[in-house]
Amino acid sequence: MGEVNVKGRRTNQILPEFPSTTATIDAKEIEDTVNAIDTPDVLKYLPDIMVRKRDSADFNGAPIGSRIWGISYSAKSIVNIDGMPISNQLFNDNTYGSPRWWMTNPEEIKNVEVMYGPYSAAYSGNSEGAVVNIATVMPTKFTAVVNQTGSLQQFKLFGTDSNYANSSTSAILGDKQGDFAWRLSLNHEDAHSQPRGYARSTTAPNVGGTPTGYQYQANTGGTVGTYLGATNLVHGISDNANLKMSYDLNPDIRATLTSGVWTGQTDAGVQAFSGATAASPANFNSITTASAFTQYQQNYMNGVSLKTIGDQDFTWEANVSNFYTDKNAQRWSNSLNADGSMQPNGAGQLADYRGTGWTNADLRGNYKIGGDQGSHKLSFGAHYDYNRLNYQQSSFTANQGWQTASSGTPYSISKGVTQTQALWVQDLWKLHEDLRMTMGLRYENWSSFNGQVANTNSSNALIVSNFNKIAYNGKVSPKVSLAWDGPGDVLIIGSLAKATRFPTVSELYSSDKCSTTVGGCQTSGQSAIYYTPDPSTKKPEDVTSAELSFERSGAAGNARFTLFTEQVKNALLKQLVALNSAYPTNYYNVWSNVEKVTASGVELAGQANNVIVRGLDVGGNITRVVSRIAEDSGLGTSGQSLVGNTIPYTPPLRFTALATYRPDQQLAYTVAGRFQKAGQPSIDNNQVNPNTYGGFSTFFVLDAKVRYQIDKSWLASAGIDNILNREYWMFHPFPQRTFIATLKYSHN
């Protein structure tokens, strides 16, 4: 027999094939190469994908960064599990906008497939960064898996020198009897984080080294002072249970129910450094109150699908899912004790997201015109999503009990809804045995309503603003890709796509205080007054993306060379704009449209099998990106034009390298490296000192793992992340050298 190449590992047989550049990783590769404590770790070495996971207690803060769009643009990516969206499209940030990763554990994953850019009509404009499709495994017989993973981080920085441990215990039970299959997944995690921040004095130390001796200088080069102590030392305990059941109604149709619940209890504290801070801690404690908090969360996610199974000319799927925030209350006291602990009695505050959530519904179909030998494979679908934000901050007096009180005096409110209706069609047309064209079209209607923003003014009166419905209808996004199987097993793919990314609720309904950096605020007390821009002035992003890719694959490995470019008109970025017509020189740092940004780059990725010796596989990727703000009427914090600056958070250079040696079926040794050159963390492009708290630094991290298959049932692995103990920052300090060990038992 001649050599047969099978390309791609599709995560969902109903969704159309990705027409452009993709990358994949499967369960075997994950098990051999990745120190995976939880699901975000699985994506660690995929080309041009970065999940900003600060630590194992980072339950909410693990957004995705992609080729062009960095980790502060969570709304520019889509993540699905078995066709069900777990993406959070309420925010576009690195604080609240992370996917709900807890809907699956690493042990459940069959494979992960990534598409870079908005080249498929089956996905909204949020795919301008990337689409990540995760497929899980349903049991075909009785299955039981128990996995215990532990990690220990050695962290030393400024006045902190401690070890931080994490324990993750998971179990999977499942079976298939006749037409019925089920899988129950349980996970318990107990994690301690390194400090996520530091309290800073912005005054220069006096002669003699007051107060602690740990010098602070902002990443912009100014504001010399000292670090007073560590903040946001987080202890997080989480539990989740996910149940998936499927039933074959007949040989052609399967019904599936997915249900998950996740709870998280977080306690965060502060640590004063030695010296004058410890002797006189009043200043330290007064500026770290919000860094010592408790938070309790409880979230539910449910999905129902009905789809055809088997190889048929016509296949379809109906999928409805809902995510609901039942509890999300973060509480803190207005003052701390001398040792930095929270006061049990006294005034305090509450930030509450209860009632926030989203619903997605999709009807998808595929029709192979003329069967397997036909020239057309037609895919089509209808989509609906509903996203609701319900956020309120309240204050409590001393006699109300900030730790348990459910209602206080509101001082900040942000509410609103967005919804989208879409129709799409895509045709895979086989023009010739070696030539295929994929053409797609997406039609969308979008609206936002029930918008409300409220903040207190300088007299502590709550000023409420309600907003009328906003709508953008009839947005059309065409797509086209052409693939040619050229000579020498070379596959050439050219893709061009338009996309529309609509604003998130948080981009629409946000406010800010007057900036004192551009001309100052004009009246006394003006800097304490919030203003909210009119949401109707915020336009959707108009995205044009293109890429040209050359791929070659065979038994010896694979290689890919890709050129890509993107232009976004009306890009939503945070910048200074004038909002109040009564004070035309007062500026506010809010989400607003930048007329045009551009980015272009080149990527090289590949893998060589059996290098030098049989069983040694070497691979990786390298990507160079050049970005630019091409047109903009907004201002920087010094009143300067922003035209010519790079897009914030875009890494100009990154690479991964991976070497895995498998001498036999039992053992696998892996060494992996991750490098990222720091982009500019603000639209000002004024970072000159990246290697500090608040800065974004260039980093190279080296990891290693050994996997040993003890017997058919038992597997053990041990690894080290950040072997070289590199100190690096993405605003927060990131983990230093961490030891990871796993023991897994499987019965199937």
Side-chain angles (χ1 to χ4, degrees):
M1 260 183 93
E3 181 180 289
V4 177
N5 292 329
V6 179
K7 295 182 64 63
R9 287 164 283 191
R10 295 178 57 198
T11 55
N12 185 301
Q13 295 300 315
I14 306 299
L15 284 165
E17 300 169 29
F18 286 151
S20 58
T21 299
T22 62
T24 61
I25 186 170
D26 62 23
K28 179 62 175 173
E29 293 170 286
I30 295 168
E31 193 172 75
D32 285 355
T33 64
V34 183
N35 293 315
I37 298 173
D38 41 36
T39 300
D41 292 329
V42 170
L43 282 66
K44 192 181 299 183
Y45 305 121
L46 283 168
D48 290 329
I49 293 293
M50 179 179 183
V51 180
R52 189 213 67 168
K53 179 186 160 187
R54 294 170 293 186
D55 48 67
S56 294
D58 206 355
F59 301 145
N60 297 310
I64 285 183
S66 54
R67 270 179 182 166
I68 295 170
W69 298 102
I71 57 173
S72 286
Y73 301 107
S74 59
K76 296 178 187 289
S77 61
I78 295 173
V79 183
N80 297 319
I81 295 179
D82 295 330
M84 181 176 70
I86 63 167
S87 301
N88 182 343
Q89 304 298 350
L90 291 165
F91 299 91
N92 188 29
D93 59 28
N94 59 27
T95 306
Y96 305 107
S98 301
R100 289 339 191 206
W101 298 109
W102 49 265
M103 278 302 295
T104 190
N105 295 322
E107 295 77 30
E108 299 174 88
I109 294 175
K110 177 183 179 182
N111 59 64
V112 180
E113 186 178 20
V114 179
M115 177 182 68
Y116 303 90
Y119 299 109
S120 174
Y123 303 91
S124 70
N126 301 92
S127 63
E128 65 176 291
V131 177
V132 179
N133 281 343
I134 300 173
T136 66
V137 180
M138 285 294 284
T140 57
K141 57 183 179 180
F142 178 74
T143 299
V145 179
V146 179
N147 188 91
Q148 177 64 49
T149 298
S151 68
L152 181 67
Q153 178 192 174
Q154 301 173 323
F155 188 87
K156 184 176 182 180
L157 187 64
F158 305 132
T160 302
D161 186 357
S162 296
N163 294 326
Y164 299 101
N166 174 80
S167 174
S168 177
T169 305
S170 62
I172 299 172
L173 290 173
D175 198 2
K176 187 176 191 304
Q177 296 289 336
D179 296 327
F180 178 68
W182 62 276
R183 184 189 69 212
L184 175 64
S185 174
L186 305 171
N187 180 267
H188 173 79
E189 193 162 358
D190 189 329
H192 294 81
S193 79
Q194 75 278 2
R196 293 183 185 170
Y198 294 91
R200 299 160 290 176
S201 168
T202 56
T203 59
N206 298 323
V207 177
T210 321
T212 65
Y214 302 109
Q215 185 176 352
Y216 157 68
Q217 187 174 27
N219 66 323
T220 55
T223 322
V224 176
T226 54
Y227 288 110
L228 303 179
T231 64
N232 280 284
L233 288 149
V234 176
H235 176 212
I237 297 176
S238 69
D239 294 279
N240 68 275
N242 299 317
L243 175 65
K244 185 171 183 178
M245 298 183 293
S246 68
Y247 183 73
D248 296 345
L249 302 175
N250 58 49
D252 298 322
I253 298 177
R254 175 174 296 160
T256 303
L257 170 68
T258 303
S259 185
V261 57
W262 177 89
T263 62
Q265 174 69 51
T266 302
D267 297 288
V270 298
Q271 172 200 7
F273 293 158
S274 60
T277 306
S280 180
N283 182 41
F284 172 77
N285 289 344
S286 67
I287 63 177
T288 59
T289 53
S291 299
F293 62 85
T294 64
Q295 185 175 16
Y296 182 75
Q297 303 174 74
Q298 183 166 286
N299 301 326
Y300 298 98
M301 195 157 191
N302 297 286
V304 178
S305 72
L306 195 65
K307 67 178 181 180
T308 53
I309 53 178
D311 186 14
Q312 305 175 46
D313 290 345
F314 177 66
T315 55
W316 58 270
E317 177 185 43
N319 191 319
V320 179
S321 62
N322 172 262
F323 170 83
Y324 181 72
T325 302
D326 181 56
K327 296 179 179 67
N328 190 333
Q330 182 175 335
R331 302 171 182 270
W332 63 97
S333 59
N334 287 349
S335 57
L336 301 178
N337 296 318
D339 62 356
S341 62
M342 291 178 286
Q343 293 185 353
N345 300 308
Q349 300 179 59
L350 165 69
D352 196 353
Y353 284 93
R354 180 184 175 92
T356 294
W358 58 82
T359 299
N360 288 268
D362 285 280
L363 180 62
R364 310 172 181 122
N366 290 317
Y367 180 42
K368 292 185 286 188
I369 301 174
D372 291 332
Q373 305 305 315
S375 299
H376 293 270
K377 185 174 182 180
L378 191 67
S379 302
F380 48 87
H383 169 82
Y384 172 79
D385 62 61
Y386 177 96
N387 307 282
R388 179 175 183 258
L389 173 65
N390 185 47
Y391 171 72
Q392 180 172 300
Q393 281 189 266
S394 304
S395 60
F396 303 99
T397 60
N399 60 355
Q400 288 181 295
W402 64 270
Q403 291 177 310
T404 57
S406 59
S407 61
T409 303
Y411 65 88
S412 181
I413 296 172
S414 182
K415 298 181 179 181
V417 172
T418 63
Q419 67 175 6
T420 311
Q421 301 96 29
L423 298 172
W424 61 271
V425 62
Q426 184 165 292
D427 181 32
L428 175 58
W429 182 11
K430 189 176 181 180
L431 299 169
H432 182 267
E433 185 179 32
D434 299 325
L435 189 64
R436 300 176 302 280
M437 177 180 286
T438 302
M439 297 177 292
L441 193 69
R442 189 176 182 89
Y443 176 91
E444 294 170 300
N445 293 332
W446 173 92
S447 62
S448 180
F449 49 90
N450 293 344
Q452 184 183 87
V453 175
N455 288 289
T456 54
N457 63 13
S458 56
S459 302
N460 288 324
L462 188 66
I463 307 301
V464 180
S465 299
N466 295 297
F467 300 98
N468 296 325
K469 181 178 179 179
I470 312 164
Y472 287 99
N473 295 325
K475 291 291 184 179
V476 178
S477 301
K479 330 273 184 178
V480 61
S481 294
L482 188 65
W484 178 46
D485 288 314
D489 292 328
V490 175
L491 175 65
I492 302 174
I493 305 175
S495 301
L496 178 65
K498 295 279 291 183
T500 302
R501 188 189 76 84
F502 298 103
T504 63
V505 180
S506 62
E507 288 171 312
L508 290 170
Y509 306 113
S510 61
S511 57
D512 194 58
K513 295 179 181 179
C514 175
S515 171
T516 60
T517 57
V518 182
C521 300
Q522 292 185 340
T523 62
S524 175
Q526 188 73 22
S527 62
I529 299 177
Y530 285 88
Y531 282 94
T532 303
D534 183 355
S536 65
T537 63
K538 297 180 182 179
K539 303 173 185 177
E541 294 184 339
D542 183 356
V543 183
T544 303
S545 296
E547 72 169 24
L548 179 62
S549 184
F550 302 84
E551 302 181 33
R552 184 176 182 180
S553 61
N558 60 78
R560 174 173 56 81
F561 175 76
T562 302
L563 299 167
F564 57 90
T565 186
E566 183 168 281
Q567 173 185 280
V568 182
K569 295 180 179 178
N570 300 319
L572 280 163
L573 302 176
K574 275 198 170 183
Q575 60 180 343
L576 287 170
V577 294
L579 299 178
N580 185 358
S581 59
Y583 304 102
T585 61
N586 285 2
Y587 289 85
Y588 302 82
N589 188 31
V590 293
W591 290 102
S592 59
N593 291 113
V594 172
E595 281 83 344
K596 185 166 69 173
V597 302
T598 62
S600 299
V602 58
E603 177 183 293
L604 181 63
Q607 177 175 302
N609 301 328
N610 300 314
V611 179
I612 303 176
V613 296
R614 184 174 181 83
L616 177 61
D617 300 336
V618 178
N621 74 285
I622 183 169
T623 304
R624 174 78 169 101
V625 179
V626 177
S627 67
R628 182 174 181 268
I629 296 175
E631 300 174 18
D632 186 32
S633 57
L635 297 177
T637 53
S638 298
Q640 79 277 23
S641 170
L642 299 170
V643 174
N645 286 3
T646 61
I647 299 173
Y649 305 104
T650 300
L653 180 66
R654 53 156 62 117
F655 74 76
T656 61
L658 199 73
T660 301
Y661 178 52
R662 301 177 180 89
D664 50 41
Q665 294 296 318
Q666 283 187 294
L667 278 165
Y669 305 90
T670 295
V671 177
R674 295 171 282 146
F675 171 87
Q676 181 168 292
K677 184 174 177 59
Q680 287 288 342
S682 78
I683 201 168
D684 280 344
N685 281 198
N686 60 348
Q687 175 172 268
V688 296
N689 181 30
N691 300 307
T692 186
Y693 176 51
F696 278 62
S697 57
T698 296
F699 65 84
F700 173 71
V701 177
L702 192 65
D703 309 324
K705 180 177 182 178
V706 178
R707 186 270 299 158
Y708 179 55
Q709 188 73 51
I710 301 170
D711 57 27
K712 180 181 177 181
S713 300
W714 289 93
L715 179 145
S717 68
I720 307 173
D721 280 355
N722 195 1
I723 295 173
L724 303 177
N725 204 29
R726 293 294 178 87
E727 178 185 307
Y728 66 104
W729 310 77
M730 278 178 275
F731 190 92
H732 310 275
F734 268 63
Q736 296 179 7
R737 185 183 293 119
T738 304
F739 299 87
I740 304 104
T742 296
L743 182 64
K744 183 171 77 170
Y745 172 81
S746 303
H747 173 83
N748 51 37

